[in-house]
Amino acid sequence: MKTISPNLALSFSKNPEIECGTDEAGRGCLAGPVTAAAVCLPKHFCLEMLTDSKQLSEKKRFLLKPLIEEKAISFGVTHVMMEEIDEINILNASITAMHRSIKQLKHTPELILVDGNKFKPYNDIKHECIIKGDAKFLSIAAASVLAKTYRDLYMEKIHEEFPMYNWKKNKGYPTKEHRAAIAKYGITKYHRKSFKLLPEQLNLEL
């Protein structure tokens, strides 16, 4: 396992293969897509500041986004929209988004590193599920940053259509403000109807 810093490793294998890291953003939201990214990094990749996107400020994530895109061997990003989430459930939608992102890669990976503990095999390619993998492997961290930034940009765009929900700030997560707006205005075409919006998630005491 080749280590770039005390915290994040570049590769999972002792004999590095073409690896890709994959992660998703938006799984716990009430509105908007679930977004996944897949990233293949070069053998001597090094990017200071890169870590789990949840530990980075929004400013740092958007500083890293073009650097990751420039330095990566290849990357893919996919949104799975609300209607499909409602049809197949959020777990399957998250895995589907990962699969579609991997499909976009210019190079077929020999190993897929997955953040979390749930995945379905993709085209018979070996995969490893890694709990908190976005804080352990650079490729997963890079995927987490791309998934988060691409999804945030989408939520900021649809915010203009429905500003009363303040998606540019809460990004569709079940904040007290977001739930209060749903209670007042109802749901939109961007809300996930399979999530039990009423009454549990509108309980403002939650």
Side-chain angles (χ1 to χ4, degrees):
M1 187 181 292
K2 186 177 179 181
T3 302
I4 294 297
S5 73
N7 298 317
L8 281 85
L10 179 56
S11 60
F12 181 87
S13 309
K14 290 182 180 178
N15 300 311
E17 313 169 76
I18 299 178
E19 297 180 356
C20 85
T22 186
D23 198 4
E24 53 75 25
R27 185 168 166 179
C29 294
L30 304 183
V34 62
T35 304
V39 181
C40 290
L41 297 175
K43 290 182 179 179
H44 302 292
F45 176 85
C46 183
L47 187 56
E48 291 184 18
M49 189 170 69
L50 178 58
T51 188
D52 169 12
S53 65
K54 295 185 291 296
Q55 298 181 31
L56 296 167
S57 66
E58 182 176 48
K59 181 179 179 180
K60 287 182 178 179
R61 287 194 295 267
F62 277 98
L63 285 172
L64 285 167
K65 176 180 178 290
L67 297 176
I68 293 167
E69 293 173 341
E70 176 188 347
K71 292 175 178 286
I73 296 172
S74 62
F75 68 91
V77 183
T78 301
H79 298 304
V80 169
M81 296 300 180
M82 299 66 62
E83 300 82 4
E84 192 168 2
I85 293 171
D86 289 340
E87 183 178 343
I88 65 176
N89 78 44
I90 187 60
L91 174 59
N92 286 324
S94 298
I95 295 171
T96 296
M98 291 180 185
H99 282 195
R100 291 175 185 170
S101 297
I102 296 166
K103 186 177 181 179
Q104 292 177 17
L105 296 173
K106 295 177 182 177
H107 301 79
T108 301
E110 299 169 76
L111 177 65
I112 301 166
L113 302 182
V114 183
D115 183 60
N117 63 354
K118 301 289 185 182
F119 194 66
K120 295 178 181 178
Y122 176 79
N123 285 359
D124 296 321
I125 299 172
K126 293 182 295 182
H127 71 268
E128 293 284 346
C129 291
I130 303 163
I131 303 296
K132 297 183 179 178
D134 47 4
K136 297 175 181 177
F137 290 92
L138 286 167
S139 61
I140 303 178
S144 76
V145 169
L146 292 190
K148 176 63 175 167
T149 52
Y150 274 81
R151 188 180 186 279
D152 283 358
L153 289 170
Y154 182 89
M155 296 307 296
E156 288 169 14
K157 180 180 177 181
I158 64 173
H159 166 86
E160 302 302 322
E161 191 175 349
F162 293 99
M164 66 283 284
Y165 300 95
N166 203 14
W167 289 330
K168 69 179 180 181
K169 181 180 179 182
N170 63 55
K171 305 300 189 292
Y173 283 91
T175 62
K176 185 174 182 179
E177 175 190 40
H178 188 187
R179 288 177 290 164
I182 294 172
K184 183 175 181 179
Y185 301 107
I187 62 173
T188 70
K189 61 185 178 181
Y190 296 111
H191 282 97
R192 303 172 186 177
K193 297 176 180 60
S194 57
F195 280 33
K196 296 180 180 179
L197 296 173
L198 294 170
E200 294 94 332
Q201 291 178 344
L202 296 188
N203 180 351
L204 300 186
E205 299 302 316
L206 285 177

